[in-house]
Structure formats: C-alpha cells, structure tokens
Amino acid sequence: MIYIILTIIYILSVHFVSDFIMQSDEMAKGKSTSIKWLTLHILSYLKGFICSAIIFYVTITLIWGRIASPLLILAYCLVNAILHWVTDYFTSKETSRLWAELKVHQFFIMIGLDQLIHATCLILTFYLFFLN
C-alpha cells in the first residue's frame, strides 16, 4: 500500500514540475487564446512525463514486483497529456477571463479546480492502467 501512495506522490510531483516549472511565460499567457501555445504547453508537459517514465518503470517493475510494459507507461503519459490538453482548453479560457475582470478569488478557485481535475485524471488513469 505504501508503494502505491509513494507512486501517486511521485506522479503528482512530476505533474507539478511538468505543468508549472516547465511552462514558459509565453505558454502560460498564450494557452487561453491560442491552440498553438496550448499544444506547446502540453508537449512540454508530455516531455516532463516521458523523462520521468524511466523512474516510474523502475518503481513499478523493481520495487512493486509487477511487470510494467514501457508501452503501457508511454500510453499512460499520452492519455494524460490529452486529458490535460482538454482540461486546459476550458480552464485556461475561464482563468483568463476571471483575471481580466479582476475576480482574483474566483480566479484562484478556478486554478484549484483545474489542478483537482488534473490530479483526478492522473490518479484514475493510474488505477486503470496499473492497478486494475
């Protein structure tokens, strides 16, 4: 059980790095109005997940003692990149609107909802791909 919890913490940490640290200012500002910038953000996000996939593979295979196909891990990364794109497509438009209207509290509520949706997707797909 502790390995599952630690793996989920690892996934959420990779999400944080990939979603915030690897996102440029241009991506953050442009993704609400430009498919190009949204897609570049998601490609950067995917790169973060793929780079972390080696550690993820070692964790599941060696520590858990389960067989985890590298293709399954890649599919997990791709599915979550797609889900992230869809989520950000809607939430970035709303956060941009709220920020422009100086609705700061509602803006941060939307940021929190965005992150809740991302975490839910990551955990549910983790369950479906590796624990089901």
Side-chain angles (χ1 to χ4, degrees), residues 8 12 15 19-20 45 80 83-84 87-88 91 95 107-125:
I8 289 171
L12 295 175
H15 166 76
D19 197 15
F20 290 101
Y45 179 83
N80 277 288
L83 292 170
H84 194 103
T87 301
D88 277 11
T91 59
T95 55
F107 168 83
F108 282 107
I109 290 172
M110 184 55 63
I111 293 290
L113 177 62
D114 171 79
Q115 291 306 302
L116 177 63
I117 293 168
H118 291 321
T120 300
C121 290
L122 289 164
I123 293 168
L124 286 177
T125 55

PDB file of all heavy atoms in Angstrom, residues 8 12 15 19-20 45 80 83-84 87-88 91 95 107-125:
ATOM      1  N   ILE A   8       1.908   7.596  -6.264  1.00  0.00           N
ATOM      2  CA  ILE A   8       0.969   8.691  -6.552  1.00  0.00           C
ATOM      3  C   ILE A   8       1.607  10.036  -6.203  1.00  0.00           C
ATOM      4  O   ILE A   8       1.483  11.003  -6.964  1.00  0.00           O
ATOM      5  CB  ILE A   8      -0.373   8.483  -5.819  1.00  0.00           C
ATOM      6  CG1 ILE A   8      -1.124   7.307  -6.471  1.00  0.00           C
ATOM      7  CG2 ILE A   8      -1.223   9.749  -5.846  1.00  0.00           C
ATOM      8  CD1 ILE A   8      -2.351   6.855  -5.728  1.00  0.00           C
ATOM      9  N   LEU A  12       2.201  13.035  -8.900  1.00  0.00           N
ATOM     10  CA  LEU A  12       1.750  14.412  -8.669  1.00  0.00           C
ATOM     11  C   LEU A  12       2.920  15.386  -8.656  1.00  0.00           C
ATOM     12  O   LEU A  12       2.783  16.533  -9.098  1.00  0.00           O
ATOM     13  CB  LEU A  12       0.933  14.496  -7.376  1.00  0.00           C
ATOM     14  CG  LEU A  12      -0.391  13.727  -7.397  1.00  0.00           C
ATOM     15  CD1 LEU A  12      -1.064  13.789  -6.023  1.00  0.00           C
ATOM     16  CD2 LEU A  12      -1.322  14.243  -8.478  1.00  0.00           C
ATOM     17  N   HIS A  15       3.812  15.938 -12.201  1.00  0.00           N
ATOM     18  CA  HIS A  15       2.788  16.832 -12.748  1.00  0.00           C
ATOM     19  C   HIS A  15       3.112  18.284 -12.406  1.00  0.00           C
ATOM     20  O   HIS A  15       3.064  19.165 -13.272  1.00  0.00           O
ATOM     21  CB  HIS A  15       1.403  16.464 -12.218  1.00  0.00           C
ATOM     22  CG  HIS A  15       0.382  17.529 -12.459  1.00  0.00           C
ATOM     23  ND1 HIS A  15      -0.183  17.741 -13.694  1.00  0.00           N
ATOM     24  CD2 HIS A  15      -0.129  18.473 -11.644  1.00  0.00           C
ATOM     25  CE1 HIS A  15      -1.021  18.765 -13.620  1.00  0.00           C
ATOM     26  NE2 HIS A  15      -0.996  19.224 -12.383  1.00  0.00           N
ATOM     27  N   ASP A  19       3.810  20.817 -15.294  1.00  0.00           N
ATOM     28  CA  ASP A  19       2.736  21.782 -15.553  1.00  0.00           C
ATOM     29  C   ASP A  19       3.166  23.215 -15.244  1.00  0.00           C
ATOM     30  O   ASP A  19       2.769  24.144 -15.954  1.00  0.00           O
ATOM     31  CB  ASP A  19       1.501  21.429 -14.728  1.00  0.00           C
ATOM     32  CG  ASP A  19       0.238  22.114 -15.230  1.00  0.00           C
ATOM     33  OD1 ASP A  19       0.235  22.625 -16.368  1.00  0.00           O
ATOM     34  OD2 ASP A  19      -0.757  22.128 -14.493  1.00  0.00           O
ATOM     35  N   PHE A  20       3.968  23.417 -14.222  1.00  0.00           N
ATOM     36  CA  PHE A  20       4.311  24.775 -13.811  1.00  0.00           C
ATOM     37  C   PHE A  20       5.746  25.161 -14.123  1.00  0.00           C
ATOM     38  O   PHE A  20       5.989  26.191 -14.739  1.00  0.00           O
ATOM     39  CB  PHE A  20       4.036  24.960 -12.311  1.00  0.00           C
ATOM     40  CG  PHE A  20       2.577  24.958 -11.982  1.00  0.00           C
ATOM     41  CD1 PHE A  20       1.980  23.824 -11.463  1.00  0.00           C
ATOM     42  CD2 PHE A  20       1.799  26.075 -12.208  1.00  0.00           C
ATOM     43  CE1 PHE A  20       0.622  23.807 -11.170  1.00  0.00           C
ATOM     44  CE2 PHE A  20       0.444  26.074 -11.919  1.00  0.00           C
ATOM     45  CZ  PHE A  20      -0.151  24.932 -11.398  1.00  0.00           C
ATOM     46  N   TYR A  45       4.745  19.478 -21.246  1.00  0.00           N
ATOM     47  CA  TYR A  45       4.219  18.647 -20.154  1.00  0.00           C
ATOM     48  C   TYR A  45       4.512  17.169 -20.430  1.00  0.00           C
ATOM     49  O   TYR A  45       4.998  16.446 -19.564  1.00  0.00           O
ATOM     50  CB  TYR A  45       2.716  18.896 -20.042  1.00  0.00           C
ATOM     51  CG  TYR A  45       2.005  18.110 -18.971  1.00  0.00           C
ATOM     52  CD1 TYR A  45       1.991  18.556 -17.659  1.00  0.00           C
ATOM     53  CD2 TYR A  45       1.315  16.937 -19.279  1.00  0.00           C
ATOM     54  CE1 TYR A  45       1.322  17.847 -16.678  1.00  0.00           C
ATOM     55  CE2 TYR A  45       0.643  16.230 -18.304  1.00  0.00           C
ATOM     56  CZ  TYR A  45       0.641  16.692 -16.998  1.00  0.00           C
ATOM     57  OH  TYR A  45      -0.020  15.993 -16.020  1.00  0.00           O
ATOM     58  N   ASN A  80      -2.719  11.000 -20.473  1.00  0.00           N
ATOM     59  CA  ASN A  80      -2.793  12.125 -19.546  1.00  0.00           C
ATOM     60  C   ASN A  80      -2.439  13.448 -20.208  1.00  0.00           C
ATOM     61  O   ASN A  80      -2.982  14.493 -19.824  1.00  0.00           O
ATOM     62  CB  ASN A  80      -1.947  11.858 -18.304  1.00  0.00           C
ATOM     63  CG  ASN A  80      -2.726  11.016 -17.324  1.00  0.00           C
ATOM     64  OD1 ASN A  80      -3.659  11.507 -16.696  1.00  0.00           O
ATOM     65  ND2 ASN A  80      -2.393   9.741 -17.235  1.00  0.00           N
ATOM     66  N   LEU A  83      -5.733  14.372 -21.886  1.00  0.00           N
ATOM     67  CA  LEU A  83      -6.685  14.841 -20.870  1.00  0.00           C
ATOM     68  C   LEU A  83      -6.287  16.222 -20.351  1.00  0.00           C
ATOM     69  O   LEU A  83      -7.151  17.075 -20.093  1.00  0.00           O
ATOM     70  CB  LEU A  83      -6.769  13.837 -19.720  1.00  0.00           C
ATOM     71  CG  LEU A  83      -7.405  12.492 -20.051  1.00  0.00           C
ATOM     72  CD1 LEU A  83      -7.211  11.508 -18.900  1.00  0.00           C
ATOM     73  CD2 LEU A  83      -8.881  12.660 -20.384  1.00  0.00           C
ATOM     74  N   HIS A  84      -5.000  16.458 -20.213  1.00  0.00           N
ATOM     75  CA  HIS A  84      -4.507  17.755 -19.757  1.00  0.00           C
ATOM     76  C   HIS A  84      -4.836  18.840 -20.788  1.00  0.00           C
ATOM     77  O   HIS A  84      -5.260  19.945 -20.426  1.00  0.00           O
ATOM     78  CB  HIS A  84      -2.996  17.669 -19.513  1.00  0.00           C
ATOM     79  CG  HIS A  84      -2.455  18.813 -18.736  1.00  0.00           C
ATOM     80  ND1 HIS A  84      -2.126  18.727 -17.412  1.00  0.00           N
ATOM     81  CD2 HIS A  84      -2.174  20.084 -19.101  1.00  0.00           C
ATOM     82  CE1 HIS A  84      -1.668  19.894 -16.994  1.00  0.00           C
ATOM     83  NE2 HIS A  84      -1.679  20.728 -18.013  1.00  0.00           N
ATOM     84  N   THR A  87      -8.587  19.629 -20.560  1.00  0.00           N
ATOM     85  CA  THR A  87      -8.864  20.385 -19.331  1.00  0.00           C
ATOM     86  C   THR A  87      -8.397  21.828 -19.474  1.00  0.00           C
ATOM     87  O   THR A  87      -9.160  22.770 -19.202  1.00  0.00           O
ATOM     88  CB  THR A  87      -8.173  19.719 -18.122  1.00  0.00           C
ATOM     89  OG1 THR A  87      -8.649  18.382 -17.993  1.00  0.00           O
ATOM     90  CG2 THR A  87      -8.450  20.493 -16.843  1.00  0.00           C
ATOM     91  N   ASP A  88      -7.146  22.017 -19.893  1.00  0.00           N
ATOM     92  CA  ASP A  88      -6.605  23.368 -20.019  1.00  0.00           C
ATOM     93  C   ASP A  88      -7.312  24.182 -21.104  1.00  0.00           C
ATOM     94  O   ASP A  88      -7.391  25.406 -20.997  1.00  0.00           O
ATOM     95  CB  ASP A  88      -5.102  23.325 -20.302  1.00  0.00           C
ATOM     96  CG  ASP A  88      -4.276  23.174 -19.045  1.00  0.00           C
ATOM     97  OD1 ASP A  88      -4.851  22.892 -17.972  1.00  0.00           O
ATOM     98  OD2 ASP A  88      -3.042  23.331 -19.122  1.00  0.00           O
ATOM     99  N   THR A  91     -10.313  25.406 -18.901  1.00  0.00           N
ATOM    100  CA  THR A  91      -9.997  26.149 -17.670  1.00  0.00           C
ATOM    101  C   THR A  91      -9.117  27.366 -17.934  1.00  0.00           C
ATOM    102  O   THR A  91      -9.267  28.390 -17.250  1.00  0.00           O
ATOM    103  CB  THR A  91      -9.331  25.240 -16.616  1.00  0.00           C
ATOM    104  OG1 THR A  91      -8.120  24.689 -17.146  1.00  0.00           O
ATOM    105  CG2 THR A  91     -10.272  24.131 -16.169  1.00  0.00           C
ATOM    106  N   THR A  95      -9.909  31.052 -16.571  1.00  0.00           N
ATOM    107  CA  THR A  95      -8.991  31.785 -15.688  1.00  0.00           C
ATOM    108  C   THR A  95      -8.564  33.104 -16.332  1.00  0.00           C
ATOM    109  O   THR A  95      -8.443  34.125 -15.636  1.00  0.00           O
ATOM    110  CB  THR A  95      -7.748  30.953 -15.322  1.00  0.00           C
ATOM    111  OG1 THR A  95      -7.098  30.518 -16.508  1.00  0.00           O
ATOM    112  CG2 THR A  95      -8.105  29.771 -14.442  1.00  0.00           C
ATOM    113  N   PHE A 107     -10.662  33.526  -9.697  1.00  0.00           N
ATOM    114  CA  PHE A 107      -9.527  33.072 -10.494  1.00  0.00           C
ATOM    115  C   PHE A 107      -8.802  31.934  -9.781  1.00  0.00           C
ATOM    116  O   PHE A 107      -8.530  30.890 -10.373  1.00  0.00           O
ATOM    117  CB  PHE A 107      -8.568  34.249 -10.742  1.00  0.00           C
ATOM    118  CG  PHE A 107      -7.237  33.851 -11.297  1.00  0.00           C
ATOM    119  CD1 PHE A 107      -7.071  33.639 -12.655  1.00  0.00           C
ATOM    120  CD2 PHE A 107      -6.131  33.684 -10.466  1.00  0.00           C
ATOM    121  CE1 PHE A 107      -5.831  33.269 -13.182  1.00  0.00           C
ATOM    122  CE2 PHE A 107      -4.896  33.326 -10.975  1.00  0.00           C
ATOM    123  CZ  PHE A 107      -4.748  33.115 -12.337  1.00  0.00           C
ATOM    124  N   PHE A 108      -8.509  32.109  -8.490  1.00  0.00           N
ATOM    125  CA  PHE A 108      -7.790  31.068  -7.763  1.00  0.00           C
ATOM    126  C   PHE A 108      -8.652  29.835  -7.496  1.00  0.00           C
ATOM    127  O   PHE A 108      -8.131  28.717  -7.443  1.00  0.00           O
ATOM    128  CB  PHE A 108      -7.195  31.632  -6.467  1.00  0.00           C
ATOM    129  CG  PHE A 108      -5.949  32.426  -6.724  1.00  0.00           C
ATOM    130  CD1 PHE A 108      -5.952  33.807  -6.622  1.00  0.00           C
ATOM    131  CD2 PHE A 108      -4.766  31.798  -7.124  1.00  0.00           C
ATOM    132  CE1 PHE A 108      -4.809  34.551  -6.878  1.00  0.00           C
ATOM    133  CE2 PHE A 108      -3.622  32.523  -7.392  1.00  0.00           C
ATOM    134  CZ  PHE A 108      -3.641  33.905  -7.268  1.00  0.00           C
ATOM    135  N   ILE A 109      -9.947  30.033  -7.373  1.00  0.00           N
ATOM    136  CA  ILE A 109     -10.842  28.869  -7.280  1.00  0.00           C
ATOM    137  C   ILE A 109     -10.745  28.048  -8.562  1.00  0.00           C
ATOM    138  O   ILE A 109     -10.656  26.814  -8.528  1.00  0.00           O
ATOM    139  CB  ILE A 109     -12.299  29.306  -6.996  1.00  0.00           C
ATOM    140  CG1 ILE A 109     -12.408  29.850  -5.568  1.00  0.00           C
ATOM    141  CG2 ILE A 109     -13.273  28.142  -7.226  1.00  0.00           C
ATOM    142  CD1 ILE A 109     -13.752  30.475  -5.257  1.00  0.00           C
ATOM    143  N   MET A 110     -10.721  28.726  -9.707  1.00  0.00           N
ATOM    144  CA  MET A 110     -10.624  28.020 -10.987  1.00  0.00           C
ATOM    145  C   MET A 110      -9.271  27.332 -11.137  1.00  0.00           C
ATOM    146  O   MET A 110      -9.202  26.206 -11.640  1.00  0.00           O
ATOM    147  CB  MET A 110     -10.861  28.991 -12.157  1.00  0.00           C
ATOM    148  CG  MET A 110     -10.879  28.317 -13.513  1.00  0.00           C
ATOM    149  SD  MET A 110     -12.053  26.944 -13.710  1.00  0.00           S
ATOM    150  CE  MET A 110     -13.596  27.787 -13.473  1.00  0.00           C
ATOM    151  N   ILE A 111      -8.198  27.980 -10.685  1.00  0.00           N
ATOM    152  CA  ILE A 111      -6.874  27.336 -10.706  1.00  0.00           C
ATOM    153  C   ILE A 111      -6.918  26.061  -9.862  1.00  0.00           C
ATOM    154  O   ILE A 111      -6.402  25.009 -10.263  1.00  0.00           O
ATOM    155  CB  ILE A 111      -5.779  28.290 -10.184  1.00  0.00           C
ATOM    156  CG1 ILE A 111      -5.574  29.471 -11.127  1.00  0.00           C
ATOM    157  CG2 ILE A 111      -4.463  27.546  -9.939  1.00  0.00           C
ATOM    158  CD1 ILE A 111      -4.923  29.136 -12.446  1.00  0.00           C
ATOM    159  N   GLY A 112      -7.531  26.147  -8.684  1.00  0.00           N
ATOM    160  CA  GLY A 112      -7.658  24.974  -7.820  1.00  0.00           C
ATOM    161  C   GLY A 112      -8.478  23.869  -8.469  1.00  0.00           C
ATOM    162  O   GLY A 112      -8.116  22.688  -8.393  1.00  0.00           O
ATOM    163  N   LEU A 113      -9.575  24.245  -9.121  1.00  0.00           N
ATOM    164  CA  LEU A 113     -10.398  23.259  -9.823  1.00  0.00           C
ATOM    165  C   LEU A 113      -9.610  22.607 -10.958  1.00  0.00           C
ATOM    166  O   LEU A 113      -9.673  21.386 -11.139  1.00  0.00           O
ATOM    167  CB  LEU A 113     -11.675  23.912 -10.366  1.00  0.00           C
ATOM    168  CG  LEU A 113     -12.588  22.993 -11.184  1.00  0.00           C
ATOM    169  CD1 LEU A 113     -13.090  21.828 -10.332  1.00  0.00           C
ATOM    170  CD2 LEU A 113     -13.746  23.793 -11.768  1.00  0.00           C
ATOM    171  N   ASP A 114      -8.872  23.398 -11.690  1.00  0.00           N
ATOM    172  CA  ASP A 114      -8.021  22.889 -12.763  1.00  0.00           C
ATOM    173  C   ASP A 114      -7.066  21.829 -12.216  1.00  0.00           C
ATOM    174  O   ASP A 114      -6.938  20.740 -12.786  1.00  0.00           O
ATOM    175  CB  ASP A 114      -7.242  24.065 -13.379  1.00  0.00           C
ATOM    176  CG  ASP A 114      -6.182  23.627 -14.359  1.00  0.00           C
ATOM    177  OD1 ASP A 114      -6.538  23.310 -15.511  1.00  0.00           O
ATOM    178  OD2 ASP A 114      -4.989  23.619 -13.989  1.00  0.00           O
ATOM    179  N   GLN A 115      -6.418  22.120 -11.110  1.00  0.00           N
ATOM    180  CA  GLN A 115      -5.464  21.171 -10.534  1.00  0.00           C
ATOM    181  C   GLN A 115      -6.169  19.938  -9.963  1.00  0.00           C
ATOM    182  O   GLN A 115      -5.643  18.825 -10.048  1.00  0.00           O
ATOM    183  CB  GLN A 115      -4.599  21.855  -9.471  1.00  0.00           C
ATOM    184  CG  GLN A 115      -3.639  22.857 -10.061  1.00  0.00           C
ATOM    185  CD  GLN A 115      -2.771  22.253 -11.152  1.00  0.00           C
ATOM    186  OE1 GLN A 115      -2.047  21.287 -10.918  1.00  0.00           O
ATOM    187  NE2 GLN A 115      -2.827  22.821 -12.354  1.00  0.00           N
ATOM    188  N   LEU A 116      -7.354  20.119  -9.418  1.00  0.00           N
ATOM    189  CA  LEU A 116      -8.131  18.972  -8.938  1.00  0.00           C
ATOM    190  C   LEU A 116      -8.497  18.042 -10.094  1.00  0.00           C
ATOM    191  O   LEU A 116      -8.389  16.810  -9.981  1.00  0.00           O
ATOM    192  CB  LEU A 116      -9.395  19.445  -8.213  1.00  0.00           C
ATOM    193  CG  LEU A 116     -10.337  18.350  -7.723  1.00  0.00           C
ATOM    194  CD1 LEU A 116      -9.656  17.465  -6.682  1.00  0.00           C
ATOM    195  CD2 LEU A 116     -11.611  18.972  -7.162  1.00  0.00           C
ATOM    196  N   ILE A 117      -8.895  18.614 -11.216  1.00  0.00           N
ATOM    197  CA  ILE A 117      -9.224  17.801 -12.395  1.00  0.00           C
ATOM    198  C   ILE A 117      -7.974  17.058 -12.879  1.00  0.00           C
ATOM    199  O   ILE A 117      -8.035  15.854 -13.166  1.00  0.00           O
ATOM    200  CB  ILE A 117      -9.820  18.673 -13.522  1.00  0.00           C
ATOM    201  CG1 ILE A 117     -11.189  19.207 -13.097  1.00  0.00           C
ATOM    202  CG2 ILE A 117      -9.925  17.876 -14.825  1.00  0.00           C
ATOM    203  CD1 ILE A 117     -11.732  20.305 -14.007  1.00  0.00           C
ATOM    204  N   HIS A 118      -6.845  17.748 -12.951  1.00  0.00           N
ATOM    205  CA  HIS A 118      -5.607  17.087 -13.393  1.00  0.00           C
ATOM    206  C   HIS A 118      -5.235  15.944 -12.450  1.00  0.00           C
ATOM    207  O   HIS A 118      -4.904  14.838 -12.906  1.00  0.00           O
ATOM    208  CB  HIS A 118      -4.443  18.081 -13.459  1.00  0.00           C
ATOM    209  CG  HIS A 118      -4.565  19.104 -14.542  1.00  0.00           C
ATOM    210  ND1 HIS A 118      -5.047  18.837 -15.801  1.00  0.00           N
ATOM    211  CD2 HIS A 118      -4.244  20.421 -14.541  1.00  0.00           C
ATOM    212  CE1 HIS A 118      -5.023  19.929 -16.522  1.00  0.00           C
ATOM    213  NE2 HIS A 118      -4.540  20.912 -15.786  1.00  0.00           N
ATOM    214  N   ALA A 119      -5.273  16.184 -11.150  1.00  0.00           N
ATOM    215  CA  ALA A 119      -4.908  15.143 -10.174  1.00  0.00           C
ATOM    216  C   ALA A 119      -5.863  13.958 -10.268  1.00  0.00           C
ATOM    217  O   ALA A 119      -5.433  12.800 -10.212  1.00  0.00           O
ATOM    218  CB  ALA A 119      -4.900  15.721  -8.761  1.00  0.00           C
ATOM    219  N   THR A 120      -7.141  14.241 -10.433  1.00  0.00           N
ATOM    220  CA  THR A 120      -8.133  13.169 -10.557  1.00  0.00           C
ATOM    221  C   THR A 120      -7.854  12.322 -11.794  1.00  0.00           C
ATOM    222  O   THR A 120      -7.880  11.085 -11.732  1.00  0.00           O
ATOM    223  CB  THR A 120      -9.553  13.763 -10.616  1.00  0.00           C
ATOM    224  OG1 THR A 120      -9.790  14.505  -9.411  1.00  0.00           O
ATOM    225  CG2 THR A 120     -10.607  12.676 -10.765  1.00  0.00           C
ATOM    226  N   CYS A 121      -7.570  12.968 -12.912  1.00  0.00           N
ATOM    227  CA  CYS A 121      -7.241  12.238 -14.144  1.00  0.00           C
ATOM    228  C   CYS A 121      -6.003  11.376 -13.949  1.00  0.00           C
ATOM    229  O   CYS A 121      -5.985  10.197 -14.338  1.00  0.00           O
ATOM    230  CB  CYS A 121      -7.023  13.204 -15.305  1.00  0.00           C
ATOM    231  SG  CYS A 121      -8.514  14.022 -15.880  1.00  0.00           S
ATOM    232  N   LEU A 122      -4.963  11.955 -13.358  1.00  0.00           N
ATOM    233  CA  LEU A 122      -3.715  11.209 -13.154  1.00  0.00           C
ATOM    234  C   LEU A 122      -3.929   9.987 -12.261  1.00  0.00           C
ATOM    235  O   LEU A 122      -3.407   8.904 -12.547  1.00  0.00           O
ATOM    236  CB  LEU A 122      -2.652  12.124 -12.534  1.00  0.00           C
ATOM    237  CG  LEU A 122      -2.088  13.187 -13.471  1.00  0.00           C
ATOM    238  CD1 LEU A 122      -1.369  14.273 -12.682  1.00  0.00           C
ATOM    239  CD2 LEU A 122      -1.163  12.555 -14.494  1.00  0.00           C
ATOM    240  N   ILE A 123      -4.687  10.146 -11.195  1.00  0.00           N
ATOM    241  CA  ILE A 123      -4.898   9.038 -10.258  1.00  0.00           C
ATOM    242  C   ILE A 123      -5.837   7.984 -10.847  1.00  0.00           C
ATOM    243  O   ILE A 123      -5.574   6.781 -10.735  1.00  0.00           O
ATOM    244  CB  ILE A 123      -5.398   9.564  -8.898  1.00  0.00           C
ATOM    245  CG1 ILE A 123      -4.282  10.386  -8.236  1.00  0.00           C
ATOM    246  CG2 ILE A 123      -5.848   8.429  -7.993  1.00  0.00           C
ATOM    247  CD1 ILE A 123      -4.727  11.198  -7.034  1.00  0.00           C
ATOM    248  N   LEU A 124      -6.926   8.413 -11.481  1.00  0.00           N
ATOM    249  CA  LEU A 124      -7.858   7.435 -12.069  1.00  0.00           C
ATOM    250  C   LEU A 124      -7.206   6.647 -13.205  1.00  0.00           C
ATOM    251  O   LEU A 124      -7.395   5.433 -13.307  1.00  0.00           O
ATOM    252  CB  LEU A 124      -9.128   8.123 -12.565  1.00  0.00           C
ATOM    253  CG  LEU A 124     -10.100   8.590 -11.489  1.00  0.00           C
ATOM    254  CD1 LEU A 124     -11.280   9.321 -12.119  1.00  0.00           C
ATOM    255  CD2 LEU A 124     -10.578   7.423 -10.634  1.00  0.00           C
ATOM    256  N   THR A 125      -6.442   7.320 -14.055  1.00  0.00           N
ATOM    257  CA  THR A 125      -5.779   6.586 -15.132  1.00  0.00           C
ATOM    258  C   THR A 125      -4.665   5.693 -14.572  1.00  0.00           C
ATOM    259  O   THR A 125      -4.421   4.614 -15.111  1.00  0.00           O
ATOM    260  CB  THR A 125      -5.220   7.530 -16.221  1.00  0.00           C
ATOM    261  OG1 THR A 125      -4.359   8.492 -15.611  1.00  0.00           O
ATOM    262  CG2 THR A 125      -6.338   8.218 -16.977  1.00  0.00           C
TER     263      THR A 125
END
